Amino acid sequence: MANEATIEGGFAQVTDGMWLMGTSQPVAYCGRVTERRLTGWIVPDRARLQRLEVVGTASCSDAKHPFLTRLDCAETLFVDSERILVAPEAARAGAQLVRVIPMSFKHALAVTEFKNPGWAVIATASRVHRFVLAEGDVLSVRLASVVAWTTKRPTGHCPKLTMRDVLIPKRQAKALWLNFYGPGVVWTEGSHGH
């Protein structure tokens, strides 16, 4: 069972090894857990993820995001770092910031990249839906609903964005979207209504 996760009853359990986990994880462990830093000069997912060495077993769960889904990557998989519950550390290929508003870090999405063989267990507030895009297809997804993708790098889309929105962002965000271009797969969750 090395390098695997068992999902049962809203918990993902992992055994001995090096793991990437959310900053509030694990919720319980039996044995020993040692934290290791994510190394590098610019690491966009450092605030959301941690490297942990587990000797024994560790259980991960998130009360606000009770739906757990395992995503396997065929070649490369890009996952919103905030939604990662647990993943094998060896599968992490890097991290990046996806800017939604041009020339602005506001609302930028921290993304962790995984390579094959690899997988990630994600925690979401609602069930996850999978969209399969053919060559030439374009899928627009609300920023708050983006979970993961295997497509080319998405581009931000914001209707009626003015220069004032770029220079002096308002507290109330406009409808922010990411456009995904096929071929590939995009995973989304339900929107967070106000």
Side-chain angles (χ1 to χ4, degrees):
M1 190 153 146
N3 208 24
E4 289 297 322
T6 305
I7 300 174
E8 185 179 344
F11 281 80
Q13 184 171 320
V14 294
T15 58
D16 301 339
M18 288 295 293
W19 301 97
L20 277 179
M21 293 186 190
T23 54
S24 62
Q25 301 302 322
V27 295
Y29 67 89
C30 183
R32 180 173 45 91
V33 171
T34 308
E35 185 176 351
R36 309 275 187 223
R37 285 182 45 86
L38 283 173
T39 58
W41 181 253
I42 299 175
V43 186
D45 57 354
R46 184 179 289 152
R48 292 162 182 84
L49 296 175
Q50 58 187 342
R51 281 178 64 218
L52 296 175
E53 180 181 6
V54 175
V55 176
T57 60
S59 296
C60 304
S61 185
D62 187 343
K64 291 184 180 179
H65 302 94
F67 293 95
L68 305 186
T69 306
R70 177 182 159 140
L71 302 178
D72 293 294
C73 66
E75 291 179 22
T76 57
L77 175 68
F78 301 92
V79 182
D80 177 3
S81 302
E82 225 168 83
R83 288 174 166 70
I84 296 172
L85 190 65
V86 64
E89 191 270 335
R92 181 181 182 271
Q96 57 185 279
L97 275 179
V98 175
R99 294 186 192 186
V100 182
I101 300 173
M103 301 178 297
S104 174
F105 287 105
K106 188 166 177 76
H107 302 293
L109 191 66
V111 174
T112 304
E113 179 183 351
F114 295 97
K115 64 182 181 211
N116 189 24
W119 51 267
V121 174
I122 57 165
T124 55
S126 72
R127 296 192 185 277
V128 174
H129 186 74
R130 179 177 177 255
F131 293 92
V132 179
L133 304 179
E135 181 71 45
D137 286 351
V138 178
L139 177 70
S140 297
V141 180
R142 285 190 181 276
L143 180 61
S145 295
V146 173
V147 173
W149 66 89
T150 63
T151 65
K152 302 171 209 166
R153 185 181 176 103
T155 58
H157 173 68
C158 180
K160 298 181 182 175
L161 183 67
T162 65
M163 185 55 88
R164 183 174 188 270
D165 292 323
V166 172
L167 298 176
I168 309 169
K170 293 181 180 178
R171 290 176 60 167
Q172 180 75 325
K174 294 195 180 267
L176 301 174
W177 300 79
L178 282 177
N179 290 338
F180 295 90
Y181 305 93
V185 180
V186 179
W187 288 269
T188 66
E189 71 167 319
S191 68
H192 306 279
H194 296 294

